[in-house]
Amino acid sequence: MDAELADLRARGLGRWPRLLEGPQRPIARYDGREVINLCSNNYLGLADHPALKAAALDAIATLGVGSGAVRTIAGNMAIHQQLEAELAAFKRTEAVLLYQSGFTANAGTVAALLGPEDVVVSDELNHASIIDGCRLSGAEKKIFPHKDAEAARRLLAASRGARRRLLITDGVFSMDGDIAPLPALVEAAEEFGAIMMVDDAHASGVLGQDGRGTVDHFGLHGRVHIQVGTLSKAFAGLGGYVAGSRALVELLMARARPLLFSTSHPPSVAAAALAAVRLVQQEPHLIARLWRNARRFKEGLQRRGFDTGASETPITPVIVGDERRAMALSDHLFEEGVFALGIAFPTVPRGRARVRTIVTAAHTDAQLEAALEAFARAGRAVGVL
Ligand SMILES: *Cc1c(COP(=O)(O)O)cnc(C)c1O
């Protein structure tokens, strides 16, 4: 372990994460320092919202702190089912199944539906939880170049012998902030009778009407069989879910190993999520504000000469290229009072190292302006500009 750690450190990896003291907010205390926080997935600023806190506290007072068992034994609480019903109405699907996280929703669903006689066709930049689900399933993996729907189509065409074919993509890609070409992928899936699955972790509460996700954004209701969402990003708490048909949900309840072998959410977690799902529909100005802030910040970076890559969403990378320089930019920014993470290989391809930013609905204009000025100073200091 010591040798492995030494090797990681020599490559600038294996850094211990910065320590957050106090709540997750636009100005937060990391490593003992108040900084403008551009690192969280707290898109709508709900992580310490009074309505969500009140809902969680009320659930603790009336229902306790734990569910006491896995869902399929004795831990299937009414609040879980209520959350599923409201999420299904939100997503406009027949049914929803709750998981403990977006990670287990992806990995558990793919592994439950596919076996060695099946083929999965997957975007090369799909999330690690999808990749793990594919591995667990034993299905044959066919990877297509990022966002290349025609390549995906060819891989489906070449898999006619499979029992099931699953075409799977992230809705919004977490390192680049670009959006999947879902209409073209759906057409390819329909042509070959493949199951279409989209992981909307970064689109939930962000994209589409009231944050319903990429399916809503592209007007594809009823044509995507499996939508995965998370309750851990814009919805600010913890959890994941699968939205689809009643048959899908019943099958997963019987087969998905995270449900069969890991305890369900504490009621407070489900209650906070329920409050979040209601809030995004009652207060559409939150999502409007998120997009306004994201556009403003992205344009500000571009005007100052930074390369924001293919970003079309609030995830805005500043592409640097060289790994050491990306890390130096991140460190300099922290000195300037801005927290934005440097990201290098293997999380992103070699030569595409970057500093990734996510602004939230809760950032003020003054905070965004100060962050842009800090970027300009740090960019000059480390030779990115
Ligand atoms: C964050 C993320 C997940 C995992 O969601 P959690 O709820 O944090 O487990 C899955 N897929 C993508 C694309 C993500 O960005």
Side-chain angles (χ1 to χ4, degrees):
M1 283 188 274
D2 285 339
E4 198 173 335
L5 278 170
D7 176 55
L8 281 172
R9 290 199 194 101
R11 291 167 26 209
L13 304 170
R15 291 188 184 190
W16 198 255
R18 294 194 191 280
L19 182 70
L20 171 63
E21 295 169 279
Q24 177 59 260
R25 283 185 184 150
I27 301 267
R29 190 174 181 80
Y30 282 94
D31 286 354
R33 206 178 162 141
E34 299 277 322
V35 289
I36 300 173
N37 179 8
L38 299 179
C39 282
S40 84
N41 301 311
N42 182 26
Y43 285 105
L44 302 176
L46 302 185
D48 72 336
H49 191 284
L52 275 68
K53 291 198 283 192
L57 286 169
D58 183 58
I60 289 173
T62 54
L63 298 168
V65 295
S67 75
V70 303
R71 195 83 187 271
T72 49
I73 295 180
N76 179 33
M77 299 182 83
I79 187 125
H80 298 141
Q81 227 154 272
Q82 191 181 354
L83 175 57
E84 287 172 336
E86 293 201 23
L87 276 171
F90 177 66
K91 296 291 283 187
R92 305 199 199 292
T93 58
E94 229 172 67
V96 155
L97 184 64
L98 209 54
Y99 281 79
Q100 298 89 344
S101 72
F103 195 105
T104 60
N106 273 326
T109 300
V110 173
L113 294 180
L114 299 188
E117 61 278 42
D118 301 318
V119 168
V120 56
V121 175
S122 176
D123 188 290
E124 65 180 342
L125 295 189
N126 276 347
H127 191 258
S129 53
I130 292 175
I131 296 167
D132 283 12
C134 294
R135 286 183 188 150
L136 284 168
S137 74
E140 186 187 347
K141 270 179 293 180
K142 298 188 175 185
I143 309 300
F144 58 92
H146 183 48
K147 290 180 63 165
D148 188 342
E150 184 45 39
R153 195 192 155 277
R154 285 195 299 272
L155 291 173
L156 287 172
S159 312
R160 287 182 201 272
R163 182 190 65 153
R164 283 180 185 152
R165 284 173 283 188
L166 176 72
L167 176 55
I168 187 162
T169 184
D170 281 11
V172 171
F173 290 87
S174 54
M175 293 300 140
D176 293 274
D178 52 345
I179 303 173
L182 203 56
L185 292 173
V186 164
E187 271 181 32
E190 286 173 348
E191 183 180 346
F192 297 102
I195 303 170
M196 183 75 230
M197 175 165 169
V198 59
D199 169 12
D200 253 353
H202 280 286
S204 307
V206 174
L207 214 58
Q209 190 209 359
D210 295 338
R212 285 179 170 76
T214 44
V215 169
D216 189 85
H217 173 73
F218 286 116
L220 294 168
H221 287 290
R223 294 175 67 189
V224 172
H225 305 98
I226 307 175
Q227 299 178 60
V228 166
T230 181
L231 302 167
S232 329
K233 288 177 173 142
F235 293 109
L238 182 70
Y241 61 89
V242 166
S245 69
R246 186 78 226 161
L248 170 74
V249 163
E250 274 183 33
L251 189 65
L252 291 174
M253 185 67 106
R255 286 275 162 76
R257 291 168 72 83
L259 292 169
L260 298 174
F261 297 106
S262 186
T263 299
S264 54
H265 280 146
S268 56
V269 173
L274 192 52
V277 172
R278 290 173 182 169
L279 197 77
V280 296
Q281 296 175 84
Q282 284 156 4
E283 300 194 14
H285 66 90
L286 287 170
I287 293 174
R289 174 85 196 178
L290 166 68
W291 281 91
R292 174 191 170 279
N293 281 355
R295 271 191 209 102
R296 208 184 166 95
F297 192 69
K298 207 187 304 282
E299 282 164 16
L301 286 170
Q302 289 164 351
R303 212 168 333 106
R304 284 165 179 80
F306 289 105
D307 172 8
T308 59
S311 170
E312 316 169 67
T313 67
I315 298 173
T316 305
V318 168
I319 309 286
V320 172
D322 180 68
E323 307 201 340
R324 254 182 286 269
R325 193 168 286 176
M327 296 308 166
L329 178 60
S330 174
D331 289 344
H332 243 86
L333 282 165
F334 199 75
E335 294 299 309
E336 293 270 357
V338 173
F339 183 24
L341 204 66
I343 297 172
F345 181 81
T347 311
V348 296
R350 277 191 209 285
R352 296 288 291 165
R354 65 199 62 189
V355 167
R356 191 183 71 153
T357 68
I358 299 181
V359 301
T360 72
H363 285 89
T364 65
D365 290 354
Q367 288 161 359
L368 296 182
E369 207 50 43
L372 286 168
E373 287 309 313
F375 255 96
R377 284 193 298 274
R380 283 193 294 273
V382 302
V384 173
L385 285 183

